[in-house]
Structures are given as structure tokens and as C-alpha cells.
Amino acid sequence: MHDMEMKYIKEAFDTNWVAPLGANVDGFEKDMEEYLGHGMHATALSAGTAAIHLAFRIIGIKPGDLVFSSDLTFAATVNPVTYEGGVPVFIDSERESWNMDPEALKIAFEKYPDAKAVIAANLYGTPAKLKEIEEICDHYNVPFIEDAAESLGATYDGIPTGTFGKAGILSFNGNKIITTSGGGMLVSHDEELVKKARFLATQAREPERYYQHKEIGFNYRMSNIVAGIGRGQMVYLDSHVEAKKMIRKKYEEAFKDIPEISLNPYLKESDPNCWLTCMLLSEDSKVGPYDIMDALDAENIETRPIWKPMHLQPVFKGNGFVQKEEGMSVGEDIFNRGLCLPSDIKNTEEDMQKITGIIRGLFGK
Ligand SMILES: *Cc1c(COP(=O)(O)O)cnc(C)c1O
């Protein structure tokens, strides 16, 4: 938190707008529309997960419909598919950005030509092969939902993530690049789609003088207090991205003489927000991810494992999984050999030296 957040929260209190609507909600949406540009429209919601749910509801996912999803991602990407009775089919990652492999996606469309939608995440703030994924979806005339929950501030071909496909999803959960404590947005070029999302998020209340409902709605709107935090955080978004990039740069410097360590890769045409810096250990590394996790944990420094691929989750046992080649999936390989490094923008130079010193020590440096 900085200074501006409290200013907007105070405004909400002073005007007594403590409700799921008000000047901060409108202002936060407008700020995001301006930040993303490209004719985007935005609606602020209670969570990124709620935004994903509304996207699938509006697309019209019905019980039994197949939806292609990133495999290596957080469960929130895919859980909402099932809220509508949809059935996720997971698509393996490629090695260049760790995101959905367009080649595997093509194979999936050949195998399941009836699939109704695609959702792909930009993992750890690194843009996926968004143009290719979008082109494939256009070719099959299937809507593409871009899960940009982790990648606000990142660009692909100079275009902000969140603006690709039929709708984009943002999250302001406590750990994201900007936070409102909890919250999300649904963004789209399609103004009608965004209006529909806002309507469904407000219990689908019809614009009548009395309470009239023709369809089932949800209580998914963002509160005016929470939106005040968001407005204040927007001011600092770019500086957060710069700070995250500095963290990554420090890891790059610290590990450049250790051939066993590489960092999470990104595409040349993309500019990641470096939300989390992750490492991948070479196959012949004597040091494993859990050795590093334990060594840092002994100094009270937290690391996180890579997301466990969805096709390996007990809850999705029996769901389809498509990869480019037989053998161990790319996602599982990254899960086995990878680790998320401490990437908080409050990490001091001293913190970073301590972290990198402990890791270097494990490699005898
Ligand atoms: C955080 C996250 C979400 C969900 O956002 P919430 O605001 O926490 O509901 C969705 N997808 C990914 C990839 C995320 O990291």
C-alpha cells in the first residue's frame, strides 16, 4: 500500500458510499479502461474467479460442453468451467513461455471438434503465444478467454495482456501485481458483453421500477471501499512492474555462473510483468527444488512450488489432456524441476543477497 489508496477509501467514507457501487467503482473501471486502451470496457467484480465464471456464463457454456484450458495454471482458471457444468480438457504447455502450446491446441481441436471455448493463462506474468492461440480460436470460431490474472502490465507485441480474445480476466487478489485485498475485473472490446456481466453480477435485476428478474444472477460486484484501494493502486502499477523486473534482474545476475539454473523464459515479442521469478533446474542438477525450498525455509524465507498441472489433480481425474508428443508432459516436467522464488517488491538489496547467497551456497559458490 502507498498513500493514494487511503485517500480514495476516505472519500468513500466521507460520502457514505459504502456499497457495491459508487464513485470508486466507476473510477477504477475507467482507470483500467484507460490503462489498457484499445477500446476496452471493464466491469469491477468481487474476484477474478467471478469474472471467469461470468465469461463462461455469457458465452453460454452448458452442461457437458468441452472447454480447452491451460494445464499448468492455478485452479481458478478452470474451476468456473465446472460451475456451468462444462468439462475442462487440459492443453499442455510449450517450453518458450510455459503457457498453452498452440500446437497441442490444434491437436485438441482435431480430437474434440465440438469444444465450445478456450481459456489460457499468462503464467507468472509471462504472456502466452497469444496471437497464435487467438488465430486458432478464430479459425474454429470458438471464443478465447484470456486469463490475465497474473499478467496485468505485461504486453505481447506491444499490446497489453487482457485485451486479447473475446474477454480478459484480471485479479486484484492480495498477492497480485496490484491488489484491492480481493477483487477482479472482466474486460472486453465488446461493450455489450461487459454490460451483460455487470447485469448478471447485480442479481440480474431488470431495469424496472420494481424488482424484476428474467434470469438467474449473482452477487459479484466490487464494493466501493475495495475499489478505492484499486484506484489508489493503479497509480503505482507501472512502478510495481519496474520493481518486479529489478527483482528478476537481480536473480539473473546472481545465477549467471550456475549452469544448472535458468529462469522462467519469455517470448521475444513479449514484455512480461515479472510478477513471479521462477527457476528451472537442469535435468542433471544435483540440487533439487525441494533442497532450495528447505534451505530457504530454514532461514524463514518462503518459496512456492510451481502450480501442479491440472491434469494431475485428483479432482480432474478422467478429464481429457492433450500434448504435442507422447511421454512426460512439458507441464509436469516444469512442475518437477521448477520453483517460484521470493519476488516481493519490498525485498531489499540485503534480502536479495541473503536469498541468492543461500542458493549459490547449495551449488558450492
Ligand atoms: C489469482 C488467479 C485467478 C483468480 O483470481 P481471484 O481474484 O483470486 O479469484 C485466476 N487465474 C489465475 C491464473 C490466477 O493466478
Side-chain angles (χ1 to χ4, degrees), residues 14-247:
D14 291 347
T15 55
N16 214 26
W17 278 106
V18 182
L21 79 173
N24 283 336
V25 174
D26 297 344
F28 189 24
E29 289 173 347
K30 195 162 155 285
D31 289 349
M32 190 60 74
E33 286 169 355
E34 274 167 19
Y35 182 85
L36 295 174
H38 298 82
M40 295 304 283
H41 302 272
T43 190
L45 300 166
S46 54
T49 307
I52 298 173
H53 183 198
L54 290 180
F56 287 128
R57 167 59 67 112
I58 291 167
I59 286 171
I61 295 303
K62 298 275 177 313
D65 283 353
L66 298 184
V67 174
F68 295 145
S69 166
S70 295
D71 179 53
L72 189 63
T73 185
F74 183 44
T77 303
V78 64
N79 279 340
V81 172
T82 67
Y83 304 168
E84 293 299 311
V87 180
V89 171
F90 302 108
I91 311 295
D92 197 11
S93 294
E94 33 81 356
R95 298 220 175 251
E96 292 106 300
S97 76
W98 294 5
N99 290 303
M100 180 184 278
D101 184 349
E103 296 300 320
L105 180 61
K106 277 187 208 160
I107 295 168
F109 270 115
E110 281 158 26
K111 198 167 168 196
Y112 305 98
D114 294 338
K116 292 288 191 294
V118 174
I119 183 161
N122 301 307
L123 203 65
Y124 302 125
T126 304
K129 295 185 173 177
L130 293 168
K131 285 257 162 82
E132 280 173 66
I133 293 171
E134 203 173 48
E135 274 167 23
I136 295 165
C137 291
D138 286 350
H139 176 79
Y140 286 95
N141 202 18
V142 159
F144 168 41
I145 306 300
E146 188 194 0
D147 180 353
E150 301 175 1
S151 68
L152 178 60
T155 62
Y156 179 96
D157 264 353
I159 300 166
T161 60
T163 67
F164 291 80
K166 183 143 186 84
I169 299 307
L170 308 175
S171 169
F172 315 113
N173 194 26
N175 57 350
K176 298 295 193 320
I177 190 96
I178 61 167
T179 181
T180 60
S181 71
M185 269 194 201
L186 184 143
V187 300
S188 176
H189 299 277
D190 182 347
E191 189 174 8
E192 288 310 309
L193 188 152
V194 171
K195 276 191 185 154
K196 179 85 196 201
R198 194 174 287 131
F199 166 76
L200 290 175
T202 324
Q203 306 286 18
R205 185 182 164 189
E206 296 291 335
E208 302 280 357
R209 295 184 67 177
Y210 41 86
Y211 288 89
Q212 176 87 337
H213 302 274
K214 295 187 200 157
E215 53 190 306
I216 298 296
F218 305 89
N219 180 7
Y220 278 171
R221 284 293 267 161
M222 180 181 278
S223 100
N224 199 43
I225 302 291
V226 159
I229 310 177
R231 267 177 110 178
Q233 285 265 294
M234 277 306 282
V235 178
Y236 302 98
L237 171 54
D238 286 338
S239 70
H240 286 192
V241 173
E242 282 318 304
K244 290 281 191 186
K245 287 182 175 178
M246 277 308 296
I247 300 271

